[in-house]
Amino acid sequence: MSREVATKKQILESAYRLFVERGFRGSSMRDIAKNAEIKAASIYNHFDNKEQIFAKVFKAKHPMFRLLSILDTATGETAEELLTDAIDRLNTELRSEPELLNLFFVEFVEMDGKHIQAAIDANFPHDSTFMRKIFGMKSELRDIREPVLVRSMIGTVFANIMFNWFIGDSKPKRWGSSTEMTDVLLWGILRKSNSS
Amino acid sequence: MSREVATKKQILESAYRLFVERGFRGSSMRDIAKNAEIKAASIYNHFDNKEQIFAKVFKAKHPMFRLLSILDTATGETAEELLTDAIDRLNTELRSEPELLNLFFVEFVEMDGKHIQAAIDANFPHDSTFMRKIFGMKSELRDIREPVLVRSMIGTVFANIMFNWFIGDSKPKRWGSSTEMTDVLLWGILRKSNSS
DNA sequence: CCTACCGATCGGTAGG
DNA sequence: CCTACCGATCGGTAGG
């Protein structure tokens, strides 16, 4: 990797971490430069301006594709096992890296969503191992299209975590556990009832 | 309402709109003052600093309680009707006011979630008409606790909308409609199968 | 509630 | 890739 490419990569990585932690306007070019171990003016040898950096970071780190990759690692002999494992993995990943979705929030609030389409165009099509696996277990499922199934799963996990943020650490018993939430999802997806 | 209270209210309302549109660091005290039709220095007669304004805005506008209020307006003779109407209302509201959740995103990214607990403490307990209604239809439902039900519903609607942001306007057919998503949820909740 | 102002920091440029 | 610097804007204060 040439020196130039390496520096560019350092800038993008530094910017990613800062945008995720402090948002776009909260991350200065000087801070981005410092983490990349250069001076602020040198950034302009690689990028035209701050927003161009954000656009490239967002394209490279769009969280949707990260979540689909996590799904691909799930395993299981039956549909119920596969789905449960997939949900566990999503939950674990989002809990250990809660800022995974921050980049998207920043894009939505500060950028008005204007880079989303370009990021989608750059990353599609995505070959999903998970969808192929669950497709092979079709007989165990209700008649639901695969993408709808994937949405339901990501949605359930996502909603669990968001909801936990919403209510803070208070009253977890009152509001239920994520296991209870997963149960609702499985009942909605599987052809036969799961053990509960 | 005294002049002083009215001014304070104008400042909070102005700050709310700006925080939601541009984030915390993207909203200057001068902008907040201009929308409230005073000068920037005058804000300090009512608030100590910018962050205190955010804390008060967040406490007053925590989106969780807004969503619960929307649920309370739902009607229906059967559990299926009530749930479908509730989901429709949530979808309609979030679609017509997509920035409803932005305040929460800003709190999460720029404030590191530090005001959440205070907002919860200030707003609980919340008397939910919706939960009482659905409680009365318990025989039509699987054995799911009401809060879990509410979470599933808000979660499903929320995940639908987030997912639509994720994928932008592209390939709606490929990824399914929110009707298909609702169907999965109803199957997971209702004791008997719904028409599909 | 205002005018006037503070030091600090911002994104970006000039010129080497 | 750097030093030095630009005008603009920031949160906040003094003083009336």
Side-chain angles (χ1 to χ4, degrees), chain B residues 49-63:
Chain B
N49 52 49
K50 196 180 166 186
E51 184 159 349
Q52 197 190 67
I53 299 177
F54 183 86
K56 302 222 171 184
V57 166
F58 187 71
K59 201 180 287 191
K61 305 272 191 178
H62 192 299

Side-chain angles (χ1 to χ4, degrees), chain A residues 57-105:
Chain A
V57 166
F58 187 71
K59 201 181 287 191
K61 306 272 192 180
H62 192 299
M64 174 68 202
F65 301 97
R66 185 64 187 286
L67 295 176
L68 287 174
S69 300
I70 295 165
L71 277 185
D72 285 346
T73 66
T75 58
E77 294 299 310
T78 67
E80 181 172 346
E81 282 172 24
L82 180 62
L83 290 170
T84 305
D85 187 49
I87 289 173
D88 280 351
R89 284 171 194 268
L90 286 176
N91 265 322
T92 303
E93 196 76 16
L94 278 167
R95 255 189 263 271
S96 74
E97 201 179 334
E99 67 282 4
L100 206 160
L101 301 166
N102 283 17
L103 192 65
F104 201 83
F105 297 160

Side-chain angles (χ1 to χ4, degrees), chain B residues 74-85:
Chain B
T75 59
E77 294 299 312
T78 67
E80 182 174 343
E81 281 172 22
L82 180 62
L83 291 169
T84 305
D85 187 47

Side-chain angles (χ1 to χ4, degrees), chain A residues 21 37 43 47 50-51 71 74 107 123 126-127 129 141 150 159 183:
Chain A
E21 277 174 32
E37 293 176 307
I43 293 180
F47 300 96
K50 197 180 167 188
E51 184 159 348
L71 277 185
E107 157 72 8
N123 287 292
H126 182 280
D127 185 31
T129 309
L141 306 176
V150 172
D183 179 63

